[in-house]
Amino acid sequence: ANYGWILNMVSKLSDNGVAGFILANGALSGGGEEYKIRRKLIENKLVEAIIILPGSMFYTTDISVSIWIINKNKKAQTKKVGEETRNYRDREREIFFMDLRQVGEPFEKKFIQFSENDIKEIASTYHKWQVEEIENIPEFCYAASLEEVAKKDFSLVPSKYIEFVNRDENID
């Protein structure tokens, strides 16, 4: 797949612009042109979050996909969001990873959807990270430094960062 269109879309964002893209998971770690685009987005401090979704969320495909949140201004600032005033911290040197593959409930027998509570928890965790440093939660979320991402060759695969809990290690 050619992901050059992402750079085109990002170039159209205002200085405070935020965009979300749903992409196949291959874009998180592919080589060649994908690698160059991903690395450019990371080095320019544009990637705010990578959120991996469960499979079977869409009618047209059962594959798991990712939401990429691109933010042109991750600096510390105060913003009014609806009725709420948020004091964002500087997140320029961080990328927030969320793995939602274990979240959700069955829908129409063969699909997965997020419940109202799931959506509240996901959104509040993300918004909390934007305003304060939070604890990483195994199998759910992790805040990675740009240095960590560079060391992993600019891979944005959440499982390379989010801790996995091995529940089998105590089984005899």
Side-chain angles (χ1 to χ4, degrees):
N2 178 359
Y3 292 101
W5 60 269
I6 294 175
L7 294 178
N8 188 31
M9 297 291 285
V10 170
S11 73
K12 293 184 177 17
L13 289 174
S14 72
D15 291 344
N16 292 308
V18 179
F21 300 107
I22 295 179
L23 297 173
N25 290 340
L28 297 168
S29 63
E33 200 58 33
E34 288 174 20
Y35 174 84
K36 288 181 196 154
I37 291 168
R38 191 173 59 247
R39 184 171 177 159
K40 187 173 185 172
L41 291 169
I42 294 166
E43 288 178 337
N44 287 313
K45 303 177 180 106
L46 293 166
V47 180
E48 173 150 87
I50 298 291
I51 302 162
I52 196 162
L53 298 176
S56 301
M57 286 205 94
F58 299 96
Y59 286 115
T60 52
T61 180
D62 61 358
I63 64 166
S64 166
V65 297
S66 308
I67 300 174
W68 295 44
I69 307 289
I70 304 295
N71 189 341
K72 278 191 105 168
N73 185 356
K74 300 195 301 181
K75 292 179 171 76
Q77 60 188 297
T78 300
K79 267 189 187 170
K80 201 153 170 60
V81 181
E83 297 295 302
E84 194 183 333
T85 300
R86 289 194 192 143
N87 295 308
Y88 292 102
R89 66 189 180 85
D90 186 334
R91 309 171 309 287
E92 283 200 314
R93 303 205 58 78
E94 270 183 43
I95 297 175
F96 193 55
F97 291 92
M98 295 187 88
D99 186 337
L100 306 181
R101 289 175 299 176
Q102 304 304 316
V103 181
E105 57 189 25
F107 169 67
E108 288 182 6
K109 291 190 179 113
K110 57 183 183 183
F111 300 107
I112 297 288
Q113 68 180 4
F114 293 141
S115 69
E116 288 294 318
N117 281 343
D118 293 335
I119 293 166
K120 279 188 187 118
E121 183 187 6
I122 294 161
S124 72
T125 302
Y126 178 60
H127 294 141
K128 189 174 179 187
W129 167 80
Q130 289 179 312
V131 298
E132 64 188 72
E133 288 187 27
I134 64 170
E135 292 284 317
N136 295 317
I137 302 169
E139 298 183 353
F140 184 60
C141 67
Y142 186 89
S145 69
L146 291 190
E147 292 73 26
E148 282 178 273
V149 175
K151 277 188 192 137
K152 295 189 190 294
D153 200 21
F154 300 95
S155 170
L156 293 176
V157 175
S159 60
K160 287 189 184 271
Y161 305 94
I162 297 172
E163 184 188 344
F164 173 75
V165 179
N166 185 345
R167 293 178 177 81
D168 298 335
E169 61 190 15
N170 299 326
I171 296 174
D172 186 359

